Amino acid sequence: MNRRQSLMILGALTAVPLVKYFGAPQAWAEGVDVDAILHDPDAPETGNPKGDVTIVAYFDYNCPYCKKSEPDLEKVVHSDGKIRLVYKDWPILTEASVYGAQMALSAKYQGKYQAAHDALMAIPGRGISKDQMRDAVAASGVDMTKLQSDLSAHGDAITALLRRTLSQADAMGLQGTPVYLIGPYKVAAALDADAFKKVVAQARGRQTKK
């Protein structure tokens, strides 16, 4: 049994208050704090920027469990209307995963991160190659010439973002993908639409009680 399978066996709703991972409201570890995780200006976002619940998704484009949850995650964000979704490209599985993350983040500079992200997530299976990823991004409508130019021009910034994400994941003790930070909860498992809705409701319930 691998690490990701064991995470799934823990149950889709193993929601743990984030304070146990962040520690004090300020810095949890050197260079990593709550605001840095929730509001990194370079991290792609979608949904409602003024939403009352934020979901932070840590994922890898070669993770089949991430791909399984992605359609339900996007459906819930869209149908709810009050969720802010932050994408954390965390390429930890293969060299091709890093390549996919670089392409998606480069596409952000032409306003096409979501198109690239959705295309990469839609490739079935695991062990996806660089060629497959490149072809999928190209087919999504991304200008590949501009993408390459942006990757060259902004490569250092993209690498810095990926390193920040890795540092955050390490600081929280994340062990595999996917991981979803939903309001004050950390869920280390693939979720379906009903599970996402349940944890979002729990997060809103905690806010109401404050």
Side-chain angles (χ1 to χ4, degrees):
M1 179 184 301
N2 62 35
R3 178 189 300 165
R4 198 168 300 101
Q5 289 172 326
S6 67
L7 286 172
M8 292 189 70
I9 291 174
L10 291 176
L13 293 180
T14 306
V16 182
L18 276 180
V19 67
K20 292 187 177 181
Y21 294 87
F22 287 130
Q26 295 81 32
W28 188 92
E30 183 178 355
V32 177
D33 58 34
V34 175
D35 188 65
I37 291 173
L38 299 180
H39 301 288
D40 189 315
D42 294 328
E45 297 184 13
T46 190
N48 186 340
K50 297 182 179 180
D52 61 351
V53 171
T54 294
I55 297 178
V56 183
Y58 285 80
F59 62 90
D60 185 301
Y61 291 120
N62 256 315
C63 168
Y65 303 107
C66 301
K67 296 176 184 181
K68 181 179 179 180
S69 287
E70 183 70 13
D72 285 330
L73 172 60
E74 293 192 3
K75 181 172 70 175
V76 169
V77 170
H78 178 74
S79 63
D80 183 281
K82 295 187 293 183
I83 297 173
R84 171 177 167 260
L85 174 59
V86 180
Y87 292 115
K88 295 285 188 176
D89 290 82
W90 187 31
I92 57 174
L93 297 178
T94 70
E95 183 180 345
S97 299
V98 177
Y99 180 70
Q102 290 172 329
M103 283 198 298
L105 293 169
S106 295
K108 180 174 181 282
Y109 290 94
Q110 57 180 281
K112 293 289 185 69
Y113 174 85
Q114 191 71 54
H117 173 84
D118 290 347
L120 290 166
M121 281 294 196
I123 305 173
R126 67 183 76 201
I128 309 305
S129 69
K130 291 181 180 180
D131 288 345
Q132 288 175 288
M133 291 187 178
R134 184 180 61 251
D135 291 346
V137 172
S140 74
V142 171
D143 182 332
M144 298 302 286
T145 300
K146 179 169 173 50
L147 183 146
Q148 187 58 53
S149 176
D150 286 331
L151 181 56
S152 297
H154 304 288
D156 289 345
I158 291 170
T159 297
L161 173 59
L162 293 174
R163 286 175 176 169
R164 289 198 299 277
T165 298
L166 176 61
S167 176
Q168 294 161 7
D170 285 346
M172 289 185 288
L174 306 190
Q175 298 181 30
T177 54
V179 174
Y180 304 102
L181 312 182
I182 304 175
Y185 297 110
K186 167 182 171 285
V187 186
L191 303 181
D192 60 17
D194 287 341
F196 277 120
K197 289 177 183 178
K198 183 171 183 179
V199 183
V200 167
Q202 290 174 347
R204 287 191 173 123
R206 283 179 60 91
Q207 293 174 353
T208 302
K209 293 177 183 179
K210 290 182 179 179

